[in-house]
Amino acid sequence: MAGRLADKVALVVGAGSIGPGWGNGKAAAVLFAREGARVVCADIDEAAAEETRSIIEGEGGSAISVRCDVTKSSDVEAMVARTVDIYGTIDILDNNVGIAEVGGVVELPEKEWDRVNAVNLKSVFLTMKHVIPVMRTAGGGSIVNISSIASIRYTGVPYATYYATKAAVNHLTRTTAVQYAGEHIRVNAVLPGLMKTPMVEKAAGLADAYAEGDVEEMWRVRDAQVPMGHMGDAWDVAHAALFLASDESKYVTGIELVVDGGITLKYS
């Protein structure tokens, strides 16, 4: 199955990792390159994006790194322009940016509501806004938005912003998929379940909500919640994104691909 993205240009947003290890975007960027794509590694953390680029080039792939704050239209426009300037087009957009802030509607400060909405939802709007015209000119493309099972279930942690923004990403994915299906632009979402990634480890309040701040105990509790007996990792999400990015899914649009070890099948 090697070469599944041969001759494709992939823009991976959130291609860095917040800490050591593999985040969803970092894994996707490297996997896409291994499958033949030329990859733009975009992240607000320039050093993190550059690390991912270095991994890809160290394996013989083609990549550039770009610093981008995807909550700012001017940054996104510049990122897309640079991608087109260097690689000529954009065949794949993979949206991996996301943050979680613990707090229900009563406890959560309004400024945190605005911040998480900008990062999780506005970023998807802006990247699609600027990338879709490029895909229309090219005659098609594939957009993969990384959502979460928090968009369809209460996960046991009160984070109103995460639930609301990820649910909105799902519906924005569906409606955009319908609007552009006739132009061969596919738009799909991946819904990861409980994952063991640097973002989860460092997300504000998650370890407190699960295990009074004990990260190792949080991992144990999360493992126990999953019918398969363990959390997933960034590569599980990356492989799902690869399928949706590739031509193997050329007749698939507007779906929510759940990658969760069966947890959303449970009653409790």
Side-chain angles (χ1 to χ4, degrees), residues 18 34 41 72 84 89 94-95 103 112 135 244 264 268:
I18 196 172
R34 289 174 180 173
C41 305
K72 296 181 178 178
V84 174
T89 191
D94 185 34
N95 275 314
E112 291 305 310
M135 290 183 170
L244 293 173
T264 55
S268 63

Side-chain angles (χ1 to χ4, degrees), residues 93-95 124 128 143-147 169 173 187-190:
L93 169 63
D94 185 34
N95 275 314
V124 175
M128 292 200 297
I143 297 172
V144 183
N145 296 323
I146 307 303
S147 181
V169 165
T173 296
V187 190
N188 293 289
V190 176

